[in-house]
Amino acid sequence: AQKSITIVTPYYIPDEVLQRSLIVKARSGKNVTLIVPRKSNHRITDLARGHFLRELVTAGANIMLHMEGMVHGKIVLVDNAIAMTGSANVDFRSLFVNYEIGAFFYTKSDIEEFENWIQARLESSVPYNSIYNKPRTLLRETAEDLSRLLTPLL
């Protein structure tokens, strides 16, 4: 990515390489945007993702929480020039265990369709910090830490 990376995923529990790569891109001034549902259909994955989302926010990424239910769509859009969509979530099982499928799109008309779809998700999203702007409670911190222990299984 030379300018931007936008990722829409229902679950965000990346491996170390992906997380560090996005942090480096955000810190180097690239526009890194991640859109995830405010609440997914798996509470434990929501707890497990907290640490990863805070790391990205600290690095300068734009984390957006989709407020209107679950987002099951998955897309990665790079530099508004290349898009990838398919069955893979951004989690350990999808990335390393499951047999997932993906398709790449390069044509201007396809990219515009994906941009429009992403924009519609953004219109019903709020920034991560607008919701999670208070220090974590001991209970939340413990729950997140315990959930992170399970990330290879999620």
Side-chain angles (χ1 to χ4, degrees), residues 101-117:
I101 190 164
F104 287 85
F105 296 85
Y106 304 92
T107 66
K108 185 176 179 175
S109 62
D110 287 335
I111 298 301
E112 286 174 357
E113 287 290 326
F114 288 122
E115 289 171 334
N116 292 337
W117 185 83

Side-chain angles (χ1 to χ4, degrees), residues 114-144:
F114 288 122
E115 289 171 334
N116 292 337
W117 185 83
I118 289 169
Q119 187 58 42
R121 304 295 76 74
L122 285 170
E123 288 172 7
S124 56
S125 299
V126 298
Y128 178 85
N129 282 339
S130 70
I131 302 242
Y132 297 105
N133 57 1
K134 298 176 187 163
R136 293 180 299 154
T137 64
L138 179 60
L139 180 60
R140 173 102 185 168
E141 200 170 306
T142 303
E144 283 185 5

